[in-house]
Amino acid sequence: MTASDSGELDFWSFVELANRRLAREYGFRHQLATELLLTLNRASTIVTYDLEASVHRPRGLSWSGFRLLFVTWLAGPLEAKKAAELTGMSRAAVSNLAKTLVSGGLLSRDPAAGDGRSVLLSLTDTGHQEMVDVFRAHNEREHEWAGALTPEEQRILIMLLDKLVTHRDQFDVRGRN
Amino acid sequence: MTASDSGELDFWSFVELANRRLAREYGFRHQLATELLLTLNRASTIVTYDLEASVHRPRGLSWSGFRLLFVTWLAGPLEAKKAAELTGMSRAAVSNLAKTLVSGGLLSRDPAAGDGRSVLLSLTDTGHQEMVDVFRAHNEREHEWAGALTPEEQRILIMLLDKLVTHRDQFDVRGRN
DNA sequence: CCACGGTAGTTAACGCCTGTACTAGTTTCA
DNA sequence: TGAAACTAGTACAGGCGTTAACTACCGTGG
């Protein structure tokens, strides 16, 4: 007996209900695909919400702020353009967010050496210290989540997600321009 | 030779770089956990962005609008509270979004029978027709994505994600109040 | 050497989401 | 029965996202 059979319908168990009705009552053909993507999307939402709420918000960072600092930290001083690409945000979003983070003293925005149009984003010393700190908590929390699976299962999951995403070269996927 | 070794760093291959530096230069312990959650989050972002951009935006629906209509469609007439729970939005978000969808003629908002505080959300005939239509395109697109994996792999992926999320009862996860 | 097309970043208008504070209706129980 | 505690929904302020339009700069080729 599943959660939705028993009448307790929630964010997670809704997936089952949706799948049953789509297949049985409406005859949609790709049931497994729906289940897969709904599950993927919801799992990601749950984990991300938890990390943001338990690690980042309490320290005054938004999830996006963390992401921008994170890529700047690890991929070195970056042009804003590249930061947008690595975070998955638009250039405008990076521009706005950078304003906030610069005024918070975590990020530094300097004209790029070779190109007068570009700006280079880098962490301030405070920002660097902050990231090392924040990431410690982030990593512990990630570890708790990942603990649901054995290392072997984790590797399989990563491999399957990688396969799913890498396949996108095969068809015309809409990403950011 | 990986993508990031070769110097082509993008949204997807950044995961590798991040992992390498976190482990080698900073000595963070839970490397596999970071890789897992970063991969999960990015895979979900990519797929969702594509579905929104290729299926929903062209038809005038936002991703959130689609989600709200979707749960209303499949989980019957719903109290706004329940709709918030099933979509993973706040009650305020449902309230706002419902306003838009009602004025667009897709959603109907009626006082609940038993409880004077509650509102029942249901699809209008137009909304129902629209969902059947939109979902046809959505489902085809999902099928293209899922085609990256064999059905067996898809089932394993679903199972692993389910295990990951279900484990959250084991510790104190921050979800919406 | 300069006009032109292309590119980086920012700004503006707008939509969505969040938390908080409020209103109104319901339930509890003394 | 009536006061207090609770619950559902909404209004509001603030943050962040998007696209489109604009500015400034770069590189090329006539």
Side-chain angles (χ1 to χ4, degrees), chain B residues 98-119:
Chain B
K99 225 184 308 180
T100 309
L101 295 171
V102 166
S103 80
L106 300 173
L107 197 65
S108 177
R109 209 175 90 276
D110 310 288
D115 189 329
R117 294 166 303 181
S118 296
V119 182

Side-chain angles (χ1 to χ4, degrees), chain B residues 42-156:
Chain B
R42 289 182 175 227
S44 174
T45 302
I46 288 172
V47 174
T48 301
Y49 190 94
D50 171 68
L51 282 168
E52 177 168 16
S54 70
V55 176
H56 301 294
R57 288 288 177 195
R59 288 157 206 258
L61 279 178
S62 67
W63 179 248
S64 307
F66 168 71
R67 272 159 58 216
L68 181 52
L69 292 176
F70 187 67
V71 302
T72 306
W73 177 29
L74 296 174
L78 281 172
E79 292 176 6
K81 172 76 185 302
K82 196 68 185 173
E85 196 181 330
L86 297 186
T87 52
M89 305 173 194
S90 64
R91 286 174 304 143
V94 170
S95 180
N96 275 323
L97 208 40
K99 225 184 308 180
T100 309
L101 295 171
V102 166
S103 80
L106 300 173
L107 197 65
S108 177
R109 209 175 90 276
D110 310 288
D115 189 329
R117 294 166 303 181
S118 296
V119 182
L120 272 188
L121 301 178
S122 53
L123 296 187
T124 60
D125 291 346
T126 309
H128 185 268
Q129 188 51 54
E130 182 70 7
M131 279 313 285
V132 173
D133 251 37
V134 166
F135 192 75
R136 205 189 322 279
H138 182 98
N139 195 224
E140 286 304 321
R141 194 67 178 170
E142 286 181 318
H143 182 59
E144 291 191 79
W145 274 105
L149 306 179
T150 66
E152 186 54 23
E153 287 172 329
Q154 294 179 44
R155 271 184 277 270
I156 292 170

Side-chain angles (χ1 to χ4, degrees), chain A residues 35-56:
Chain A
E35 185 175 357
L36 178 64
L37 299 192
L38 218 41
T39 301
L40 173 59
N41 186 30
R42 290 181 173 227
S44 174
T45 302
I46 288 171
V47 174
T48 301
Y49 189 95
D50 171 68
L51 282 168
E52 177 167 19
S54 69
V55 176
H56 301 293

Side-chain angles (χ1 to χ4, degrees), chain A residues 75 78 82 85-86 168-169, chain B residues 1-18 20 42:
Chain A
L78 280 172
K82 196 71 185 170
E85 193 180 332
L86 296 186
R168 75 189 185 287
D169 324 326
Chain B
M1 173 159 158
T2 63
S4 51
D5 284 338
S6 72
E8 297 172 37
L9 188 55
D10 67 13
F11 184 66
W12 189 248
S13 63
F14 171 75
V15 175
E16 293 167 26
L17 169 69
R20 223 174 25 237
R42 289 182 175 227

Side-chain angles (χ1 to χ4, degrees), chain A residues 82-130:
Chain A
K82 196 71 185 170
E85 193 180 332
L86 296 186
T87 53
M89 304 172 196
S90 63
R91 286 175 303 144
V94 169
S95 180
N96 277 321
L97 209 38
K99 224 184 309 179
T100 309
L101 295 170
V102 166
S103 80
L106 300 173
L107 198 65
S108 178
R109 209 174 92 277
D110 310 288
D115 189 329
R117 294 165 301 180
S118 297
V119 286
L120 273 188
L121 302 177
S122 52
L123 296 188
T124 60
D125 290 347
T126 310
H128 186 268
Q129 187 52 56
E130 182 69 8

